[in-house]
């Protein structure tokens, strides 16, 4: 087993493990940390799948943005000074059953290759993916790119407005 | 290093995300579940992209998914904060305004 | 004019109102006085452009521009503009009436909180209506059809703080959506059978049943939009919106979109479907007219009158005379918009007067009004011209178009009895129209001033008088033809030439309509206070006629029937009563012991099912998600493994 292959399966393992742990944790702060682990492992997998730009974005956006945001959210919604409220589940067994059903179905699709998924990667000759992705975004995908900019602006204002709105008791 | 294992990981992450969305009694955790599901989809997109090296469509798609997921988290958290202020809880079960 | 220039000017006409909507949205609140002026200016431009265009393109061959809109697999859907005489008429009417309403709104909506929102939606509505008129296929037409519905919703609910307004807006929206289901089904049928959304050719390959089905489904949509029989109640509650809006949307333009659609897709309708159209139209016409006769709200009288006139339009299309329907659509747009704006002028000036004198009453209730002809002479003059056109007096446009409708209805009915019954319904409607018009005019302008006497009323400002005068000029006979008694003028000769004439009907209405109008006037004049002023003779005479023709026969009939009732029938009835009581005791026993038991059991069963069903909609989002995912998983398993 080469080092690359070892890393590949190692990160698959950490991603899967942290996701499973996330499902059963009782402390919401620990859950956020498990999510962070999972997302970082995914970033590592992105590098191994030759999506370096996405890996960097993953770390910046998720690890640096979303998880921090979630942790702030946890701090703001926990009762001040008190112990963190333990997470409880509702309808765990039916939920797990449905989840298992979905998992089974997805595995079935993968196994039967219903959507004609090639199982092995073709070797990429081009190694400068970051440059190519930049060109793609500013040529073929320039409209969605600009729209994403508008969306981000709208979200910025919208989130600020919603979160800043004070409920007035009358 | 077969892509098969990536697909299986993605299926697992998606199912776990779904279960979290279904069973957890905390809105923030539900949001985390949604993030997990989106990441599973992203992983799939990137893996599919490996099979067609001539094109980078999959990665670009994943990028847009990521951007939109971030937007969704921001707005979602803002709403959770506001709901928390209003109802003093972040347990979705206790908010049943939709009750018909 | 070259084809390209024509196309660009059409697009320009359609986009000018949209520009007006945009301007009204972006102007900052500190400069809001610009909004009405800018909007009116843009609309004036659009109106002048479309009038010029109509004059230059009149009677030119039909022009179509189309571009590929989108492609689904093998089939391509196009979008484009269809220009013929019908389009030109509607184009000019919509832009002109919209311009008039914009002008009127400058005065009417001055100082309103949502003024800018009002102008932006008004502009948007005009844009959508023009799009509907220009669209060259059913799918594009449907898009604009929904857009006009949406803007109607926004404008009815313009005064959001009024509960009645929001409820009326919702009602209009929901009823229209239900009816629009018919449009969607019709689209599906037409696409499935002909593979195109064309407005002109319908290649159904001998499948007459499907063709009739598609036509009836489209009729359903028309019944919603044009407020026909089962759906017409939304229009009367839509009067909660601002009055200029009622003039534009709920009288002159949007509600006739249904009739316009019928005219556009006329080739689709089979004889059977056309008969249904006539039945719906004529029943709506007579019911609307009857309802108008019993209203006391100024605007609701006009609303029911609109419903009744729309019924006439639909019936006219059903008889095959779509040109006649278009003619009446044109004349109706002018005089009904004039009537609504006149009503708006009355309401506006009374509101102003109430503000200065602090006396408050419902200004829309015609029982509170009266004697306004002295205080508001110009409004009164214009209003009566439009009312005369509505009643169908000779020398006014309504006479010619109604004459044309009557002629076409009677030529449609021929010798068939049931058809003649519906034709007579139309005649009754025309008579009722005269009565409710006179009643409205009498209560508002003629009768002795009642609560209005407490106010000092002034005529409305000049900017509101201009549209009134222009619209009443448009209600005169020359709109139809230069000959005041002939309906085949510039419009009918170009749209559907060679309409047959029926001199008997024309002469009869020429004599009977003025007579009936005078009679109606006298009726309303002497109904309540028969012994006043110097016209005693005539008043008694009318009362006598009234009692001789109506009251006395009815009284006599009731006396006779009372006698029969007492002497003959009572004995039989008593016998029946004893029999019934005996039977009832028997039934009571059965009821208590057998039927009640069953009912209780079914009640318990229903309760059990109910509690199961209730658990599905507990208002908890996660359980909703759970059940939908569950259903998805189960169905996927089913598809994959069975």
């Amino acid at each position: 087993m080469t080092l690359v292959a070892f890393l590949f399966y190692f990160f698959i393992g950490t991603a899967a493990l942290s996701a499973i742990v996330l499902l059963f944790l009782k402390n919401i702060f620990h859950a956020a940390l498990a999510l962070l682990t999972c997302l970082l492992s995914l970033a590592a997998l992105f590098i191994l799948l030759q999506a370096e730009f996405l890996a960097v974005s993953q770390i910046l956006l998720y690890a640096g943005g979303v998880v921090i945001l979630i942790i702030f959210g946890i701090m703001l919604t926990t009762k001040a000074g008190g112990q963190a409220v333990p997470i409880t589940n509702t309808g765990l067994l039916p939920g797990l059953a449905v989840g298992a059903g979905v998992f089974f179905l997805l595995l079935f699709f993968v196994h039967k290759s219903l959507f004609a998924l090639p199982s092995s990667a073709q070797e990429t000759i081009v190694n400068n993916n970051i440059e190519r992705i930049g060109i793609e975004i500013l040529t073929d995908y320039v409209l969605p790119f600009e729209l994403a900019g508008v969306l981000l602006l709208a979200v910025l204002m919208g989130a600020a407005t919603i979160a800043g709105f004070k409920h007035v008791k009358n | 290093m077969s892509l098969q294992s990536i697909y299986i990981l993605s299926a697992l992450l998606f199912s776990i995300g779904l279960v979290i969305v279904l069973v957890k009694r905390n809105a923030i955790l539900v949001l985390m579940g949604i993030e997990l599901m989106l990441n599973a989809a992203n992983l799939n997109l990137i893996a599919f992209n490996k099979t067609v090296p001539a094109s980078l469509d999959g990665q670009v798609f994943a990028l847009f998914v990521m951007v939109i997921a971030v937007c969704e988290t921001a707005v979602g958290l803002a709403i959770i904060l506001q709901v928390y202020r209003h109802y003093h809880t972040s347990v979705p079960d206790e908010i049943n305004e939709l009750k018909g | 004019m070259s084809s390209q220039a024509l196309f660009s000017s059409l697009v320009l006409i359609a986009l000018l109102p949209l520009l007006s909507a945009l301007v009204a949205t972006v102007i900052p609140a500190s400069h809001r006085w610009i909004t009405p002026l800018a909007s009116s200016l843009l609309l004036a431009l659009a109106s002048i452009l479309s009038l010029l265009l109509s004059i230059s393109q009149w009677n030119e061959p039909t022009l179509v521009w189309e571009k590929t809109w989108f492609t689904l697999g093998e089939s391509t859907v196009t979008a484009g503009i269809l220009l013929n005489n019908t389009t030109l008429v509607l184009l000019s009417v919509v832009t002109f009436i919209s311009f008039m309403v914009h002008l009127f709104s400058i005065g009417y909506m001055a100082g309103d909180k949502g003024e800018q929102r009002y102008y932006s939606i008004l502009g948007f509505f005009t844009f959508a209506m023009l799009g509907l008129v220009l669209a060259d296929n059913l799918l594009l037409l449907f898009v604009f059809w929904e857009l006009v519905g949406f803007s109607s919703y926004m404008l009815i609910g313009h005064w959001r703080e009024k509960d009645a307004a929001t409820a009326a807006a919702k009602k209009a929206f929901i009823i229209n959506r239900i009816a629009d289901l018919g449009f969607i089904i019709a689209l599906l049928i037409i696409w499935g059978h002909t593979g195109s959304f064309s407005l002109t050719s319908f290649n159904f390959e001998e499948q007459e049943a499907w063709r009739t089905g598609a036509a009836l489904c489209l009729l359903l949509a028309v019944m919603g939009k044009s407020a026909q029989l089962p759906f017409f109640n939304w229009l009367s509650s839509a009067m909660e919106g601002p009055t200029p809006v009622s003039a534009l949307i709920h009288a002159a333009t949007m509600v006739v979109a249904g009739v316009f659609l019928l005219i556009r897709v006329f080739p689709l309708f089979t004889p059977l479907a056309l008969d249904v159209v006539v039945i719906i139209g004529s029943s709506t016409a007579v019911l609307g007219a009857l309802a108008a006769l019993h209203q006391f709200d100024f605007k609701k009288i006009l609303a029911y009158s609109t419903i009744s006139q729309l019924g006439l339009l639909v019936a006219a299309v059903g008889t095959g005379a779509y040109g006649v329907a278009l003619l009446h659509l044109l004349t109706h747009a002018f005089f009904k918009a004039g009537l609504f704006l006149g009503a708006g002028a009355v309401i506006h000036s009374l509101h102003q007067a109430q503000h200065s004198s602090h006396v408050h009453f419902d200004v829309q209730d015609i029982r509170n009004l009266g004697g306004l002809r002295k205080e508001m002479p110009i409004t009164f003059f214009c209003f009566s011209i439009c009312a005369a056109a509505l009643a169908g007096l000779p020398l006014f446009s309504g006479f010619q178009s109604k004459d044309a409708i009557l002629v076409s209805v009677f030529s449609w009915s021929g010798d068939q009895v049931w058809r003649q019954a519906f034709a007579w319904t139309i005649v009754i409607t025309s008579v009722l129209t005269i009565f409710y018009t006179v009643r409205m005019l009498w209560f508002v302008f003629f009768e002795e001033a009642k609560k209005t006497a407490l106010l000092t009323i002034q005529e409305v400002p000049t900017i509101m008088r201009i549209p009134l005068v222009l619209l009443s000029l448009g209600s005169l006979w020359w709109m139809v033809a230069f000959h005041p008694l002939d309906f085949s003028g510039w419009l009918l000769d170009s749209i559907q030439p060679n309409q047959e004439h029926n001199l008997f009907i024309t002469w009869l209405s020429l004599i009977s309509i003025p007579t009936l109008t005078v009679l109606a006037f006298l009726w309303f004049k002497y109904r309540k206070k028969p012994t006043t002023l110097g016209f005693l003779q005539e008043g008694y005479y009318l009362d006598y006629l009234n009692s001789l023709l109506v009251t006395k026969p009815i009284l006599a009939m009731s006396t006779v029937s009372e006698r029969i009732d007492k002497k003959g029938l009572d004995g039989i009835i008593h016998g029946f009563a004893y029999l019934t009581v005996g039977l009832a005791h028997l039934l009571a026993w059965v009821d208590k012991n057998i039927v009640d038991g069953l009912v209780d059991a079914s009640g318990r069963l229903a309760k059990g099912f109910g509690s199961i069903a209730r658990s599905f909609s507990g208002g908890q989002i996660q359980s909703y998600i759970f059940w939908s995912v569950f259903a998805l998983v189960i169905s996927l398993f089913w598809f994959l493994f069975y």
Side-chain angles (χ1 to χ4, degrees), chain B residues 4 7 17 43 45-46 48 73 77 86 95-96 99:
Chain B
Q4 199 86 24
Y7 299 148
L43 188 61
L45 280 174
I46 289 166
F48 292 160
T73 318
L77 271 173
H86 192 87
I95 303 154
N96 51 7
K99 188 162 185 170

Side-chain angles (χ1 to χ4, degrees), chain C residues 386-465:
Chain C
C386 297
L390 172 63
L393 283 175
L395 289 186
F396 298 99
S397 61
F399 174 78
Q400 286 140 306
S401 54
K402 277 196 186 172
D403 187 26
I405 289 180
L406 283 178
V407 170
S408 61
V409 165
F410 274 99
S411 76
W412 165 79
S413 70
D415 294 333
Q416 282 170 282
V417 178
W418 71 269
R419 284 189 168 190
Q420 277 187 342
F422 283 106
W424 280 102
T425 317
I426 305 267
V427 175
I428 293 168
T429 308
S430 307
V431 174
L432 287 174
T433 308
I434 298 169
F435 271 89
Y436 69 69
T437 311
V438 171
R439 172 173 177 267
M440 174 172 72
L441 212 58
W442 174 260
F443 266 105
V444 176
F445 290 102
F446 283 96
E447 206 171 32
E448 226 170 73
K450 282 172 221 131
K451 294 194 181 167
T452 43
L454 305 170
L455 304 172
T456 44
I457 300 158
Q458 287 178 330
E459 181 64 280
V460 287
T462 320
I463 195 82
M464 291 165 78
R465 273 182 248 163

Side-chain angles (χ1 to χ4, degrees), chain C residues 488-640:
Chain C
S488 52
W490 56 275
L491 193 143
L492 215 50
D493 284 346
S494 316
I495 303 271
Q496 201 182 17
N498 305 326
Q499 285 288 322
E500 64 172 301
H501 285 67
N502 190 331
L503 279 183
F504 176 68
I505 293 179
T506 309
W507 279 106
L508 190 67
S509 37
L510 187 62
I511 297 165
S512 62
I513 291 175
T515 319
L516 280 169
T517 311
V518 172
L519 280 180
F521 252 107
L522 294 177
W523 162 272
F524 283 111
K525 186 159 180 126
Y526 293 108
R527 189 188 40 145
K528 276 192 176 169
K529 33 185 172 63
T531 52
T532 45
L533 299 176
F535 308 93
L536 301 175
Q537 275 312 91
E538 283 168 272
Y540 277 130
Y541 178 63
L542 258 180
D543 272 353
Y544 177 68
L545 197 71
N546 176 25
S547 69
L548 190 74
L549 287 179
V550 186
T551 323
K552 278 195 179 163
I554 289 178
L555 273 178
M557 261 159 64
S558 56
T559 324
V560 171
S561 61
E562 191 192 356
R563 243 174 246 160
I564 296 173
D565 204 35
K566 261 192 186 150
K567 289 189 177 155
L569 290 176
D570 274 12
I572 305 172
I573 288 174
H574 281 303
F576 267 118
Y578 287 122
L579 207 67
T580 317
V581 170
L583 213 68
H585 279 294
L586 192 69
L587 277 178
W589 183 83
V590 174
D591 204 35
K592 246 183 212 158
N593 291 303
I594 298 173
V595 179
D596 275 11
L598 276 175
V599 170
D600 281 350
S602 59
R604 264 176 234 126
L605 202 68
K607 206 173 163 187
F609 275 120
S611 66
I612 295 173
R614 204 172 51 216
S615 69
F616 285 114
S617 58
Q620 287 157 5
I621 302 160
Q622 280 171 313
S623 77
Y624 289 139
I625 304 175
F626 174 77
W627 284 113
S628 46
V629 173
F630 183 73
L632 187 73
V633 168
I634 293 291
S635 55
L636 273 177
F637 268 101
W638 178 276
F639 287 136
L640 289 174

